[in-house]
Amino acid sequence: MGFFVLLASVICNSVEKKIYVNLNNTVPCVRLLNATHQIGCQSSLSGNVGVVHVLESEENLEWVLSSGPHPPYVVILDSPLFTRSVMMKLKNGSRRVAGIAVVAPNANPPEGFSPHTTCPNENTGVYSEDYDPIFAHCNITVWNPLGNGLSYEEFDFPIFSLKDDNETQVIRQCYLDHNRAANGTAPQYPLCAIELFSHMSAVTDTATCMRRNDINFSISPEIVCDPLGDYNVWASTRPLNNTAKGHKMWESVVIAAARLDSRSFFFDIAPGAESGVSGFITLLAAAHALRNATQQAPPNRTILYTLFQGETFDYIGSSRMVYDMQNNQFAVDLNNVHSFLEIGQVGLRSDSKLWLHSDQLSRKNTSVNDEKLIENLQSAAGRVGISVGEVGFSQPLPPSSFQRFLRAKPIPGVVIEDHQSAFTNRFYASMYDNAEYLNVSYPSNLTLEEQLEWVTDTAQALTEVATIVAQALYKQAGGQDVEARGITADPKMVARMLYSFLIRSNNSWFQQLHSSEPTLLVQYLLANLTGSTVNREGFCTRSTVRLSKALSPAFELRDYTSKEYSTWTESRWKPFKGRIFLLSLFSKADMLFSSGREPTNATY
Amino acid sequence: MNLERLPNEEKLTLCRKYYLGGFAFLPFLWLVNVVWFFREAFVKPAYTEQLQIKTYVKRSGLGLLLWVTVLTTWITIFQHFRAEWGAVGDYLSFTIPLGIP
């Protein structure tokens, strides 16, 4: 009996393989929720089935939205058509649209593309109606002018991303063979169809989904969403007693910050080369450069390196650290902070100029003195040979973790960027913000190991920024000028980090760190770069690197409708899948989706 | 159970038991009463106990109608407005559908 069951299942499987072609390299967009909205995509519980249509132009949308005889359609978009106007039209025509599949090109598009909003984190920064209303909501400077806001729209059909490879070619060929309208005649069954499954469990907003997580009085309690969060990585040049939380007498700290994260329209694709990687690699290289000087000739003040996670989603990491400092849950508190230096996007220095951004309102407060920091940065830049410009008073700070610190207390601080007003980054928070965009490319005749060690121009440029940052930090912490002159960042280290974070993390250098999870990788790397080796068997480093929880204070306070802190959560889901098959006139799926959509199409 | 074989008094006691039982928030007993004893009460030729059985069946029918109205109204309202009721709707539910409000 068991044998027959086994035989039946084997036979069924092979028939299934003859009908369906599974799509393997697909990435969906997922649903995210905050205090007031839900964004992202949703499919039905049994998957969305639609007839394949490869969109040829924006005018061709009319076939999908009104004239095509076999709705609903799944629209295959090439990247030039992945624009806001096409997507909004498809969103409005969602009765006839069952889903979208975007073909991700192998090379970046020539014009920019940013699915993020034009004013990132506008409600959780420091500029609000109470604090400097002129600068609130990007009134003066629009930071991300190419932003089309697609990542923050809500779609009620699934949107998947396909790589432009053989599988996608199969889909295109299937469309050309079966679905193309030839000379005005409508295509006949059987038609090429695609099923996309990305069902999201959470709905409405964070308060609703967190409440549903907690309900005890239900038959099958199920967690439907999780708050976004990870860990911040921090280290100090002098050991700080981490068990004694709160204010430390006589401790004066210079914070050097960068952000670790990024995002894109699709799930788990977040290369963030210019928006994140350029900044934190520079900070890591500066920390490495400062190792010898801070150990041999320690300056008066301690330098605190902080790498924040979750900054893209309303400053999760930095708001949590500020909250911990305010509530005596961190090794130091805000009164210990002397000044703040943040490294923003520094990978695309056109005409080799760096820009120093500061906040005009806090500088009007006489106790806040940015001059020293700016002077240190300028003198360091002069030594390295880079020109540095100070952004005038007419501009606010760009979106940066420093804004959360300013929200709590006026502190002198500077944010280093490669743009004077709007971002130079044309692919902010998109899947195209990758190694290719930063010009990290290697001659083709190198082996993988040689590529790891090859110093590209980008690496050289970032090394210069790292040297400036290191020297300025040392002077800002009270170090002597003589010592500062000798601090230089190591281009080979920067080159290795660029390769490992942007091209391949599975290389001989990273394998020594024994982790594949990005935050832990950064933690071990920072430990490796700032710590001292201890003579033990194996690989052992003593360092001051620690992790601090980066979960929004809104979840600690259980205030899920908070306007003050990030309330972002991500829905849970069942495993994604996509598959293509031929849809015939009499198939069950046809009955299921053609009934109730267009009465004239009920064909049974 | 075959009602044919029962003497009439026992039919009456049975009908009465089901009628009284239905008051304990058990409208299905009234439904059973109505269905089972309908023929006895209205179709069969008259016998002594039939009048009482008829009353019980009629009252069971009334009670059943009341319950059906109340339940239908409540179910319609709940299914329609549960999503709008937010927290209250969630606390009233045994299983909450995933992914839809």
Side-chain angles (χ1 to χ4, degrees):
Chain A
M1 179 61 187
F3 172 73
F4 286 119
V5 170
L6 187 62
L7 191 62
S9 65
V10 165
I11 290 174
C12 287
N13 272 341
S14 72
V15 171
E16 190 184 359
K17 284 201 188 75
K18 286 186 187 148
I19 301 177
Y20 299 107
V21 175
N22 286 323
L23 300 175
N24 290 327
N25 295 327
T26 51
V27 182
C29 97
V30 297
R31 178 173 274 174
L32 293 154
L33 308 103
N34 71 359
T36 46
H37 289 84
Q38 57 180 19
I39 64 174
C41 320
Q42 166 73 306
S43 87
S44 72
L45 197 47
S46 51
N48 279 32
V49 176
V51 171
V52 171
H53 181 79
V54 175
L55 199 69
E56 284 147 32
S57 64
E58 202 165 330
E59 289 73 39
N60 194 216
L61 268 180
E62 179 258 335
W63 176 266
V64 173
L65 296 176
S66 48
S67 61
H70 306 110
Y73 288 96
V74 168
V75 183
I76 314 282
L77 287 180
D78 283 305
S79 69
L81 287 166
F82 187 39
T83 59
R84 189 177 170 88
S85 71
V86 170
M87 294 297 282
M88 287 294 117
K89 286 188 189 147
L90 287 169
K91 174 178 166 171
N92 289 333
S94 68
R95 299 196 142 273
R96 288 178 56 109
V97 179
I100 296 180
V102 177
V103 179
N106 292 324
N108 287 351
E111 70 288 342
F113 175 80
S114 170
H116 207 88
T117 49
T118 50
C119 194
N121 292 346
E122 68 183 291
N123 294 318
T124 39
V126 71
Y127 299 106
S128 61
E129 276 66 32
D130 306 320
Y131 185 103
D132 229 344
I134 328 168
F135 292 143
H137 305 296
C138 292
N139 273 337
I140 302 293
T141 315
V142 176
W143 295 111
N144 187 24
L146 289 171
N148 56 29
L150 278 179
S151 291
Y152 290 84
E153 291 287 336
E154 185 198 338
F155 298 96
D156 58 7
F157 44 73
I159 303 180
F160 275 56
S161 159
L162 306 169
K163 279 210 191 95
D164 196 358
D165 57 5
N166 290 339
E167 235 172 45
T168 315
Q169 198 47 38
V170 168
I171 300 177
R172 285 195 227 261
Q173 196 55 45
C174 186
Y175 166 74
L176 288 172
D177 291 338
H178 295 104
N179 294 15
R180 198 99 192 273
N183 295 340
T185 55
Q188 296 297 318
Y189 282 104
L191 295 171
C192 197
I194 191 169
E195 181 192 38
L196 297 172
F197 180 82
S198 66
H199 179 73
M200 301 287 139
S201 305
V203 71
T204 319
D205 56 27
T206 293
T208 310
C209 84
M210 294 303 282
R211 180 179 69 229
R212 290 186 186 181
N213 281 352
D214 280 337
I215 288 186
N216 295 326
F217 181 58
S218 89
I219 294 180
S220 56
E222 198 170 323
I223 306 275
V224 287
C225 71
D226 301 293
L228 291 183
D230 197 328
Y231 289 93
N232 298 324
V233 179
W234 63 274
S236 51
T237 50
R238 253 203 312 248
L240 289 170
N241 187 351
N242 199 28
T243 34
K245 310 271 187 198
H247 187 77
K248 289 209 163 42
M249 290 287 280
W250 314 125
E251 189 69 61
S252 180
V253 158
V254 176
I255 298 185
R259 79 174 219 206
L260 285 175
D261 70 316
S262 183
R263 71 164 301 194
S264 76
F265 184 79
F266 299 100
F267 171 67
D268 222 21
I269 296 184
E274 158 76 344
S275 62
V277 176
S278 65
F280 79 72
I281 283 189
T282 311
L283 185 58
L284 288 173
H288 179 98
L290 278 169
R291 171 163 62 180
N292 287 343
T294 50
Q295 281 172 2
Q296 290 157 11
N300 292 344
R301 303 189 187 99
T302 311
I303 303 175
L304 190 69
Y305 306 111
T306 47
L307 293 136
F308 295 113
Q309 268 284 19
E311 299 300 275
T312 321
F313 289 104
D314 290 335
Y315 304 122
I316 297 177
S318 52
S319 67
R320 181 55 188 260
M321 185 172 275
V322 172
Y323 177 80
D324 284 345
M325 285 183 180
Q326 285 171 320
N327 290 298
N328 296 330
Q329 293 293 317
F330 194 71
V332 294
D333 80 348
L334 286 167
N335 294 322
N336 288 122
V337 177
H338 172 263
S339 46
F340 198 102
L341 177 60
E342 181 168 347
I343 311 179
Q345 306 180 70
V346 290
L348 290 175
R349 272 188 298 137
S350 58
D351 66 37
S352 303
K353 208 164 164 151
L354 274 180
W355 294 97
L356 307 179
H357 295 253
S358 56
D359 174 53
Q360 66 156 18
L361 195 62
S362 67
R363 285 177 78 172
K364 286 194 184 132
N365 184 344
T366 46
S367 67
V368 170
N369 190 353
D370 275 344
E371 317 308 352
K372 201 87 210 321
L373 183 52
I374 294 182
E375 189 195 304
N376 288 334
L377 282 163
Q378 279 174 333
S379 57
R383 278 191 288 262
V384 172
I386 308 272
S387 60
V388 150
E390 201 187 323
V391 172
F393 277 178
S394 57
Q395 229 177 226
L397 281 175
S400 50
S401 316
F402 180 40
Q403 289 201 20
R404 289 303 300 200
F405 282 79
L406 276 184
R407 245 173 111 117
K409 179 175 184 273
I411 303 172
V414 164
V415 179
I416 306 178
E417 303 268 7
D418 59 19
H419 54 87
Q420 185 182 12
S421 56
F423 293 160
T424 36
N425 190 351
R426 287 177 301 129
F427 297 116
Y428 184 71
S430 84
M431 56 186 173
Y432 305 119
D433 189 6
N434 50 20
E436 180 195 330
Y437 187 48
L438 278 190
N439 268 338
V440 174
S441 62
Y442 300 89
S444 44
N445 58 340
L446 293 183
T447 65
L448 292 177
E449 283 308 307
E450 285 168 347
Q451 282 181 3
L452 179 64
E453 301 291 331
W454 180 268
V455 177
T456 53
D457 290 339
T458 321
Q460 194 59 47
L462 287 180
T463 316
E464 289 165 0
V465 182
T467 307
I468 297 174
V469 167
Q471 291 188 3
L473 276 175
Y474 189 73
K475 292 280 293 296
Q476 185 71 8
Q480 299 303 316
D481 205 33
V482 173
E483 292 287 338
R485 283 167 200 280
I487 299 174
T488 44
D490 179 12
K492 280 202 172 304
M493 184 60 69
V494 175
R496 261 186 253 158
M497 286 197 282
L498 262 182
Y499 179 81
S500 310
F501 282 110
L502 291 181
I503 315 265
R504 258 169 63 97
S505 57
N506 191 10
N507 56 57
S508 59
W509 186 50
F510 260 24
Q511 272 163 5
Q512 288 175 4
L513 299 175
H514 287 294
S515 178
S516 57
E517 206 264 297
T519 314
L520 291 182
L521 267 178
V522 172
Q523 179 194 19
Y524 298 153
L525 193 53
L526 188 56
N528 198 6
L529 296 177
T530 57
S532 43
T533 350
V534 176
N535 277 335
R536 296 259 166 87
E537 278 184 29
F539 193 77
C540 192
T541 314
R542 176 190 289 156
S543 73
T544 58
V545 177
R546 288 205 162 85
L547 293 176
S548 91
K549 203 167 172 71
L551 182 68
S552 171
F555 296 99
E556 296 294 317
L557 298 168
R558 297 188 161 252
D559 177 14
Y560 304 129
T561 49
S562 168
K563 285 191 177 33
E564 176 84 7
Y565 301 111
S566 164
T567 48
W568 286 104
T569 51
E570 186 177 68
S571 166
R572 286 216 181 171
W573 54 73
K574 309 276 186 305
F576 310 122
K577 45 181 197 278
R579 52 189 186 177
I580 58 172
F581 49 93
L582 281 181
L583 200 56
S584 78
L585 190 59
F586 299 108
S587 70
K588 182 165 173 264
D590 181 23
M591 271 167 53
L592 279 179
F593 74 69
S594 67
S595 66
R597 299 254 183 193
E598 291 221 312
T600 56
N601 244 6
T603 53
Y604 37 86
Chain B
M1 184 187 258
N2 193 353
L3 278 182
E4 303 294 330
R5 301 213 199 115
L6 284 180
N8 288 344
E9 303 85 45
E10 285 191 32
K11 284 186 209 168
L12 182 58
T13 13
L14 205 57
C15 192
R16 187 188 293 130
K17 271 195 205 146
Y18 272 76
Y19 169 69
L20 292 175
F23 280 106
F25 292 92
L26 298 170
F28 271 102
L29 290 184
W30 285 340
L31 176 67
V32 168
N33 223 9
V34 167
V35 171
W36 208 12
F37 284 95
F38 189 78
R39 194 174 273 165
E40 289 295 322
F42 297 104
V43 178
K44 282 261 171 71
Y47 52 90
T48 26
E49 288 85 357
Q50 196 192 46
L51 197 59
Q52 272 195 294
I53 292 182
K54 213 185 268 188
T55 1
Y56 285 144
V57 170
K58 278 192 204 154
R59 288 189 194 165
S60 301
L62 268 173
L64 184 66
L65 202 61
L66 184 71
W67 265 96
V68 166
T69 323
V70 167
L71 277 180
T72 316
T73 320
W74 165 246
I75 289 172
T76 320
I77 293 179
F78 182 75
Q79 291 294 339
H80 202 251
F81 290 112
R82 180 189 58 82
E84 288 163 33
W85 288 342
V88 175
D90 284 349
Y91 292 133
L92 281 175
S93 310
F94 255 134
T95 45
I96 302 173
L98 296 176
I100 53 176

